[in-house]
Every structure is written in structure tokens, then in C-alpha cells.
Amino acid sequence: MLILLLALAMSLSSSACRADTRMTSNAPPETPPETPTEPSTEQANRMKINIRVGNEVVTATLMDSKTTQDFMSLLPLTLTLEDYANTEKVSDLPRPLSTEDAPPGSDPSVGDIAYYAPWENLAIYYRDFGYSDGLIILGKIDGDIEALNVPGSVDVTIELRSQ
């Protein structure tokens, strides 16, 4: 019985404190966090890239992040993408990219373009893969990935898409 009375007293005390804080606080009411907005047409155009594979051009849309902006500063870029684990094409980059504000890892899917921070390389997935620590998604191929789903290495040129 004593325990029940103590529990009731603590509950009432806690409720009173919370109510008092709300009534005396000068802070503005909490507003919901801002939801991301769609990028403007100009920004969306700046976030598009072409990946030239032989005579084919594959387009991709990049996400807006510090890592992606750092990647874009390297463009145009000509790379030899090597096959890795029959899942992705990878290549070293000329320098490491910023990982500021990046997630601890990602779970890539077909068509994802990513930066693998531990190896400081670019990866383009042509098959689904599981979560990897240090993997930062940069963007996604807009359409067909088949130009990259070929055995062995492939030479590519990655450039900003012109308007």
C-alpha cells in the first residue's frame, strides 16, 4: 500500500513539474523539423552526370551532399573501372573525398554510385549488395545499367551533364 502511495505521489509531482515548465517557458513552441524540398531545376541539372562507356552514354543523378560535391569537383574524370566480386565496378580516385556529415555506411542497390571511404574508391553497383560500413551513396544511374554489367574492366569518362 505504501509503495502504491509513493508511486502515485511521484507521478503527480512529475506531472505538475511538466505542466509548470510548459506554462512558464518563454521558448517558442516546438516546430516540426523542416522536410527536404525538391531541388530546383537548375540544381537538378547541376546534379546530373554522364558516364561515357565506349559509344554509350549512361546518365545518373547525384545526391546533394558534401561527399558528392567533392566528387563533382574532380569532374571530368577518366577511369578504368575494374570488376569486383561480380557485383560492382570500382576504381581508385585521384584523391580521397570528404566524408563530412556522411552516414556511417549504406546498403547499395543496382545502379547506385558510391564512394567507399576505407579504400578511397568509386563503386558503381550492377548487382544488389548488402550493408557496408564506410560506403557513401553519391547517386544513382537513371536508366539501364547494362553498359557496365560486362565482364572485366571498362574505361569510362564521367562528366557533368551539359544543359
Side-chain angles (χ1 to χ4, degrees):
M1 183 76 146
L2 181 59
I3 293 174
L4 285 173
L5 286 174
L6 285 173
L8 179 61
M10 288 175 55
S11 175
L12 290 174
S13 172
S14 174
S15 295
C17 287
R18 277 184 294 208
D20 185 47
T21 301
R22 274 192 229 121
M23 288 187 291
T24 61
S25 173
N26 291 331
E30 285 187 34
T31 56
E34 270 187 45
T35 55
T37 59
E38 289 297 314
S40 67
T41 303
E42 180 181 321
Q43 183 181 17
N45 286 337
R46 285 196 324 253
M47 303 300 284
K48 295 277 190 180
I49 59 171
N50 288 335
I51 303 170
R52 296 187 185 279
V53 185
N55 293 329
E56 294 187 57
V57 176
V58 176
T59 62
T61 303
L62 300 177
M63 298 168 45
D64 190 12
S65 71
K66 291 181 181 177
T67 306
T68 301
Q69 290 167 7
D70 200 14
F71 172 68
M72 288 172 57
S73 75
L74 296 174
L75 302 180
L77 194 58
T78 299
L79 303 169
T80 298
L81 296 173
E82 304 287 339
D83 196 67
Y84 186 77
N86 292 321
T87 303
E88 60 190 290
K89 298 290 188 192
V90 300
S91 180
D92 292 333
L93 292 172
R95 64 172 170 76
L97 299 180
S98 169
T99 57
E100 185 179 345
D101 299 332
S106 297
D107 182 1
S109 58
V110 174
D112 280 346
I113 302 168
Y115 175 63
Y116 186 55
W119 293 353
E120 300 175 347
N121 69 6
L122 182 72
I124 302 177
Y125 289 85
Y126 61 88
R127 290 210 173 103
D128 198 26
F129 194 71
Y131 179 89
S132 294
D133 285 327
L135 188 69
I136 304 164
I137 304 295
L138 302 176
K140 190 163 192 80
I141 302 290
D142 292 332
D144 193 11
I145 189 79
E146 290 308 306
L148 296 167
N149 188 1
V150 294
S153 63
V154 62
D155 293 328
V156 301
T157 298
I158 304 170
E159 57 197 2
L160 291 174
R161 187 171 172 192
S162 58
Q163 275 56 335

